[in-house]
Amino acid sequence: MENNRVKLIFKITISALLSSFLTILNLLFSFVPGLDVSFLMLALLSLMMTWDIAFFVTLTTSALAFLYKIPIFDGVSFLLTNLLTFVIFFSLRKMLLKNKWSIFLLLLIISTLYDTFIFLLWLVISDLQNATAMYISKTAEMHIIFVVYLFLPIITFKKLEIVLFKISSKYSFIINRNYLDYWDKEEIEKMKKYSDKKSNYVAQLISLIISMNILMSFLAFLPFLINNYYGYKYILLLIILPIVMLIMTPQWMKLKKKTNNKLVLTHNCVGLIVALTFVFLGMMLKNYNLALSLMILGIILFGVFIAGFIPMNIEILKSYKFRNGQKNNVNKIITMSSFVLIPFPFLLENFTKSVYTMTLYLFLILIVLFILCLNRNIMSDGNVLKVSKEDFRDAFKNKKFLSISLTQSIFIGLEKFLEYGLIFFFFISFTNKNLTLEFFQPRIYLFIFCGFLLKHVGRAAGYLFKWKNSNNIKINYLSNVMFMMTFLVIFTFTLVALFISFNNINLVYKLIIIFSQFVMGLAYILLKRSQDRVYKNMLNEKGINGAFILDHLNGNVLYSLTTYILFAVFFVAIPFNIYTFIALNSILLLTSTVVTISNLIIKK
């Protein structure tokens, strides 16, 4: 009897403390319309605590709200919403604890009920016109509370849950039995530190696919956007991206070893939100210097936060595949799905305003953030950039590897540059056996996004081909020849345009560039796939990691930047005409021919 009395007094005390704490929070946030955490806290208490504590806190908090909720219908609506929150979360706690996503969905719905109840109460005592007027007057409040409950529960729910449980775990009689059972299961699962559930793998894969779509479409769209607002010369600012990514990728890899991939990825998501916001503010603000500064800062931040984002996400997925003895097809999946978003920014920019394009990108990156926050960790062992000095030493000793990498990586570097530099080709306009640079041609955005789209479709097509290991060298040669023939076609067309002028010459030229991107995209994947297999046959298990890193640096950094400088010289530094364009194509054709012949000579 005495023990029960002590428990009752303790329950009343803890209920009073929680009610006071919640009321103080409400008073502090009352100066910001719509900023109310009551529903979140009451939902959490209804899931965790016994029914009497949750009910007491609900009633007490609602009653005290009449002192500061004015007019009275605000207090009544607050009471009804709180009671409904208690009833739903306490009665459905078993189902909600098993399906955490439903908690966030319910809270989002409940956040809309507060103003709905106000509308209904005014409708009961008045008419539709007055009720509608009162409802419209709450527009700002409704938007704020909706946004708050869109993000806040996902970000804070787990942390609040842990804090409350640790505080009350010494007194198990104040926690309901369903939650205790749920917590025990959670602790058992946590002992593994990672999940082998396919649903968690699929969620992680979706986050990577969305991230790759954001990256590929942004790289394609940003030069077009910069040209529209600042002029084509400012496209050269994009040289910042590969340099920053080269510097930051190893730093992110070091940081994730001290923490974990998931934590770094969530912080990178927030950084990308800031970066994208700065870039688009640079297109919308009227103060030129401020806008330009924000755009440059946004580009730098995008490079900083995207640098480790994709590799770490891939590492998580590969860890799951390796641990479960499954074939690693992550690169194939993202290559075949990373081009879906490319047309949308161009279409939005042409038919609407930049703010809508920014909204699209921010919405998608927020989806990625939510997936990362909600999804369980599926990574056990690291597998990306897991390389030692001995690996590099073994790779440097292999002369055949160095010969192949230093020659064929030229194609890789050119293809990587064209991921954002392709737009320069579409600025070219042929007139009277000469050419000029025209930056605002009719419907140019259609040709630009078709070029980028066909490039990635070609890459996706590269994974549809299968061949035996004995044919690796043949496929490798074929990819070299495809690059060479592409430059030959463009060079030949330019020579013809020097002597012959015909109708629709610019349309034919743009179609050639678009189709050439499909061929180059296909050649790029065939080259990468065959080259990786050749390296594996050529090098031992240890040296292969160093070889892949060196090959990546040769193509994605060294030759990509070299190509960038080449295009900067021809399109910006010197007067551009048909003769300089022929010279540029001659360099590309000659280089590709030399590389192709060199690879025929090298005995692999």
Side-chain angles (χ1 to χ4, degrees):
M1 181 71 71
E2 184 68 24
N3 189 36
N4 290 336
R5 208 160 123 195
V6 171
K7 287 182 178 180
L8 178 60
I9 294 171
F10 187 84
K11 283 186 175 183
I12 294 172
T13 304
I14 198 73
S15 301
L17 287 171
L18 289 170
S19 301
S20 303
F21 174 72
L22 197 50
T23 301
I24 291 170
L25 281 181
N26 288 337
L27 286 170
L28 289 173
F29 296 146
S30 62
F31 299 102
V32 182
L35 188 55
D36 194 321
V37 297
S38 300
F39 313 136
L40 172 61
M41 293 298 296
L42 290 175
L44 188 57
L45 293 174
S46 301
L47 288 171
M48 292 181 60
M49 302 298 179
T50 54
W51 74 270
D52 45 358
I53 293 177
F55 186 64
F56 182 89
V57 174
T58 301
L59 286 181
T60 308
T61 305
S62 303
L64 291 172
F66 282 96
L67 299 174
Y68 58 89
K69 292 278 185 182
I70 300 172
I72 192 170
F73 279 172
D74 286 29
V76 175
S77 176
F78 188 68
L79 170 64
L80 292 174
T81 308
N82 285 344
L83 286 173
L84 189 61
T85 302
F86 165 75
V87 170
I88 292 174
F89 278 84
F90 191 79
S91 58
L92 300 177
R93 59 188 183 278
K94 287 184 179 179
M95 184 273 287
L96 294 174
L97 289 172
K98 289 180 180 178
N99 304 280
K100 279 289 188 71
W101 62 268
S102 57
I103 295 174
F104 307 121
L105 180 61
L106 271 176
L107 282 170
L108 193 61
I109 295 171
I110 287 171
S111 70
T112 65
L113 293 179
Y114 175 66
D115 293 293
T116 304
F117 281 135
I118 291 176
F119 171 79
L120 294 174
L121 289 168
W122 279 100
L123 186 62
V124 170
I125 68 159
S126 182
D127 54 28
L128 180 61
Q129 185 176 353
N130 286 330
T132 304
M134 292 302 299
Y135 189 74
I136 293 173
S137 69
K138 300 278 187 179
T139 301
E141 181 180 316
M142 285 187 289
H143 281 82
I144 292 173
I145 197 169
F146 185 83
V147 172
V148 167
Y149 276 85
L150 186 62
F151 304 123
L152 188 65
I154 295 173
I155 297 171
T156 63
F157 191 89
K158 187 65 179 179
K159 295 178 181 178
L160 290 172
E161 183 183 21
I162 292 171
V163 170
L164 277 174
F165 185 81
K166 287 184 176 180
I167 292 173
S168 55
S169 58
K170 293 181 180 179
Y171 310 98
S172 58
F173 60 89
I174 67 173
I175 303 175
N176 71 66
R177 177 54 55 187
N178 291 315
Y179 189 81
L180 287 172
D181 293 342
Y182 157 78
W183 188 265
D184 290 340
K185 290 179 181 178
E186 281 284 295
E187 288 301 307
I188 292 172
E189 285 293 316
K190 280 181 183 178
M191 290 175 67
K192 284 176 64 178
K193 296 184 179 179
Y194 56 82
S195 170
D196 282 323
K197 291 183 179 179
K198 189 175 181 180
S199 58
N200 295 126
Y201 167 78
V202 171
Q204 193 72 40
L205 181 61
I206 291 171
S207 76
L208 177 60
I209 290 172
I210 296 174
S211 303
M212 282 297 297
N213 271 273
I214 292 171
L215 175 61
M216 293 295 106
S217 68
F218 191 68
L219 288 177
F221 175 66
L222 187 56
F224 174 76
L225 194 65
I226 292 174
N227 176 67
N228 284 355
Y229 285 90
Y230 293 97
Y232 81 103
K233 290 183 179 180
Y234 282 91
I235 296 174
L236 298 179
L237 287 171
L238 295 182
I239 195 173
I240 296 170
L241 283 174
I243 295 173
V244 171
M245 291 172 71
L246 172 66
I247 296 169
M248 289 305 302
T249 299
Q251 307 309 316
W252 288 121
M253 292 301 169
K254 290 177 183 178
L255 181 60
K256 63 98 177 176
K257 289 179 181 178
K258 296 179 181 179
T259 54
N260 59 69
N261 283 42
K262 186 175 179 180
L263 180 63
V264 176
L265 283 175
T266 52
H267 285 78
N268 279 15
C269 265
V270 177
L272 287 172
I273 291 171
V274 175
L276 290 168
T277 303
F278 281 179
V279 169
F280 281 98
L281 283 176
M283 312 301 167
M284 292 184 281
L285 295 178
K286 293 182 179 179
N287 186 315
Y288 181 83
N289 292 329
L290 176 61
L292 180 60
S293 301
L294 284 175
M295 184 194 71
I296 295 172
L297 179 59
I299 292 172
I300 294 171
L301 289 176
F302 186 83
V304 168
F305 290 109
I306 203 68
F309 195 78
I310 303 300
M312 281 188 285
N313 215 331
I314 292 174
E315 183 178 46
I316 292 174
L317 293 164
K318 284 184 176 180
S319 175
Y320 174 92
K321 288 284 188 178
F322 295 155
R323 186 173 65 251
N324 290 278
Q326 299 176 10
K327 184 180 178 181
N328 175 32
N329 59 351
V330 175
N331 290 332
K332 177 180 178 180
I333 292 172
I334 60 177
T335 300
M336 299 184 75
S337 59
S338 62
F339 54 85
V340 178
L341 187 63
I342 288 175
F344 293 98
F346 289 94
L347 296 173
L348 283 172
E349 186 67 23
N350 186 68
F351 293 107
T352 61
K353 297 180 179 179
S354 295
V355 66
Y356 296 103
T357 314
M358 179 180 73
T359 303
L360 171 66
Y361 279 116
L362 294 182
F363 176 73
L364 290 172
I365 199 66
L366 283 171
I367 290 176
V368 175
L369 178 60
F370 293 161
I371 292 173
L372 293 174
C373 290
L374 294 175
N375 197 36
R376 284 201 61 194
N377 176 48
I378 61 170
M379 179 176 168
S380 52
D381 300 316
N383 50 75
V384 174
L385 293 184
K386 194 175 182 180
V387 62
S388 63
K389 293 180 180 179
E390 288 72 21
D391 294 333
F392 289 116
R393 196 175 293 119
D394 291 341
F396 273 117
K397 287 179 180 178
N398 195 306
K399 293 181 180 180
K400 286 186 178 180
F401 158 74
L402 290 176
S403 300
I404 297 170
S405 180
L406 290 172
T407 52
Q408 292 198 109
S409 291
I410 292 175
F411 292 134
I412 304 297
L414 178 63
E415 178 69 5
K416 284 297 176 181
F417 165 77
L418 291 177
E419 285 182 353
Y420 56 88
L422 174 63
I423 192 172
F424 284 109
F425 283 100
F426 290 104
F427 288 151
I428 294 171
S429 178
F430 289 87
T431 52
N432 298 323
K433 301 179 183 179
N434 203 342
L435 58 79
T436 57
L437 294 176
E438 293 186 14
F439 307 108
F440 301 99
Q441 303 169 41
R443 296 183 296 278
I444 189 174
Y445 71 95
L446 292 174
F447 295 109
I448 293 172
F449 84 65
C450 284
F452 283 110
L453 191 62
L454 263 291
K455 172 189 290 293
H456 291 283
V457 171
R459 290 183 181 184
Y463 277 101
L464 300 178
F465 295 91
K466 295 181 180 180
W467 62 85
K468 297 179 181 179
N469 282 332
S470 58
N471 293 324
N472 284 333
I473 295 177
K474 293 179 181 178
I475 298 297
N476 194 266
Y477 289 153
L478 174 63
S479 66
N480 286 204
V481 172
M482 290 171 70
F483 274 110
M484 184 182 69
M485 294 304 296
T486 301
F487 296 128
L488 178 61
V489 169
I490 298 173
F491 176 75
T492 303
F493 177 85
T494 311
L495 278 181
V496 171
L498 177 62
F499 299 102
I500 303 173
S501 182
F502 53 89
N503 293 331
N504 297 320
I505 186 172
N506 286 306
L507 177 61
V508 174
Y509 165 72
K510 287 179 172 61
L511 291 176
I512 288 174
I513 295 299
I514 290 171
F515 180 72
S516 72
Q517 294 312 297
F518 176 85
V519 176
M520 290 178 69
L522 175 61
Y524 170 77
I525 293 299
L526 294 179
L527 175 63
K528 288 295 293 179
R529 290 178 63 196
S530 59
Q531 189 171 264
D532 288 350
R533 294 184 185 184
V534 169
Y535 289 164
K536 288 178 181 178
N537 293 332
M538 185 184 303
L539 296 157
N540 57 43
E541 190 68 27
K542 292 182 179 180
I544 194 66
N545 291 329
F548 282 144
I549 298 298
L550 288 173
D551 189 66
H552 178 84
L553 291 175
N554 285 334
N556 291 263
V557 180
L558 176 62
Y559 290 126
S560 177
L561 291 176
T562 303
T563 308
Y564 184 96
I565 294 169
L566 177 68
F567 273 73
V569 169
F570 276 91
F571 279 86
V572 178
I574 62 177
F576 193 77
N577 53 47
I578 195 166
Y579 298 103
T580 53
F581 190 51
I582 289 173
L584 174 63
N585 283 307
S586 300
I587 293 172
L588 295 175
L589 177 59
L590 180 62
T591 303
S592 61
T593 304
V594 170
V595 171
T596 303
I597 295 172
S598 298
N599 281 299
L600 288 172
I601 295 173
I602 296 171
K603 295 179 179 181
K604 299 180 181 179

